[in-house]
Amino acid sequence: MAEIKLSAEQRTEFGKGAARRIRRDDKIPAVLYGHGTDPIHVTLPGHDTMLALKTPNALLAIDLGSDNHLAIPKQVQRDPLKGFIEHVDLLIVKRGEKVTVDVAITVVGEPEAGVLLVTENATVALEVEATHIPSEIEVSVEGLQVGAQVLASDLDLPQGAALAVEEDLLILNLTHAPTAAEVEAELEDAEAEAGIEHDQPEAPAEEQAAEPESTES
């Protein structure tokens, strides 16, 4: 994975008020930590950081002027409503060292007709070299039948990567795709359990007019 360079500035102001002032200047408060060093509090350029963090497990080259660090994002805090980045925790890494990261699973191909693909785990934890973190792990389901499963041990890992989870972790499960009739029956059962009743439709006006009127004898 290529390094993404970001210029940072060390910061000495903390708290919510300081964070708001930083974000108003289109910057993002962040902290660098790891390798037994004291946390380094910095500000990052807002737009460039937002673009960089679109890459999963981005390898960031943080330029602090006379000091430089390689780091990967460990936690990104976002505003729950507007989605902008509020704060970033960055883990300092060294070239050649191994780190544990969650890597996305990407499914390619199509299973047999009538098969429902269920993703049990969308990511898998891997132990990889910090400067060679894969962006994704591809899994082909081409032609797979009902009952097939993809376990962590079935994944084709890049050279130097190792599983950081149990080998029997279920990644993908292929089951019978329900028919429209089965879906409708399940819906009706669920509504019955929930006590939902539907009003019966009224008979068309023509049918009501055709009904004979009762006569008294």
Side-chain angles (χ1 to χ4, degrees):
M1 180 182 294
E3 299 173 15
I4 302 175
K5 295 183 178 181
L6 292 175
S7 296
E9 300 173 355
Q10 199 150 356
R11 63 186 171 97
T12 56
E13 288 188 312
F14 307 100
K16 292 183 178 180
R20 282 194 294 267
R21 287 192 294 272
I22 291 170
R23 289 193 289 268
R24 278 200 299 267
D25 291 337
D26 192 27
K27 297 178 182 180
I28 297 171
V31 61
L32 286 154
Y33 66 94
H35 285 277
T37 62
D38 292 334
I40 304 171
H41 299 274
V42 300
T43 60
L44 301 173
H47 182 69
D48 291 345
T49 302
M50 179 191 67
L51 293 178
L53 295 181
K54 288 185 177 181
T55 301
N57 300 313
L59 180 62
L60 306 176
I62 307 297
D63 181 5
L64 270 169
S66 60
D67 201 6
N68 296 279
H69 297 281
L70 280 180
I72 58 174
K74 291 303 290 183
Q75 184 176 22
V76 180
Q77 298 175 16
R78 297 180 182 272
D79 182 91
L81 297 178
K82 298 182 179 179
F84 61 80
I85 299 174
E86 294 185 321
H87 189 275
V88 181
D89 289 352
L90 300 173
L91 176 66
I92 297 173
V93 297
K94 302 293 184 182
R95 298 185 188 280
E97 79 167 316
K98 293 290 185 75
V99 295
T100 300
V101 293
D102 290 330
V103 179
I105 301 294
T106 299
V107 177
V108 296
E110 294 290 339
E112 282 195 351
V115 174
L116 176 65
L117 175 63
V118 180
T119 300
E120 301 291 347
N121 283 280
T123 63
V124 62
L126 300 180
E127 186 180 72
V128 294
E129 189 176 332
T131 54
H132 292 84
I133 301 174
S135 59
E136 61 183 8
I137 300 295
E138 282 195 355
V139 179
S140 175
V141 296
E142 186 65 35
L144 293 186
Q145 301 175 347
V146 171
Q149 293 183 328
V150 176
L151 306 179
S153 59
D154 299 321
L155 300 177
D156 185 14
L157 303 181
Q159 185 175 359
L163 290 174
V165 295
E166 296 294 330
E167 292 189 349
D168 61 355
L169 177 70
L170 182 59
I171 304 296
L172 302 174
N173 194 22
L174 290 93
T175 64
H176 166 72
T179 64
E182 289 171 338
V183 171
E184 185 176 351
E186 289 183 6
L187 179 60
E188 290 177 353
D189 290 343
E191 289 179 342
E193 290 181 5
I196 299 174
E197 296 182 359
H198 295 281
D199 294 334
Q200 294 297 323
E202 294 185 1
E206 293 82 357
E207 293 183 11
Q208 295 180 8
E211 292 180 0
E213 296 183 359
S214 61
T215 58
E216 296 182 358
S217 55

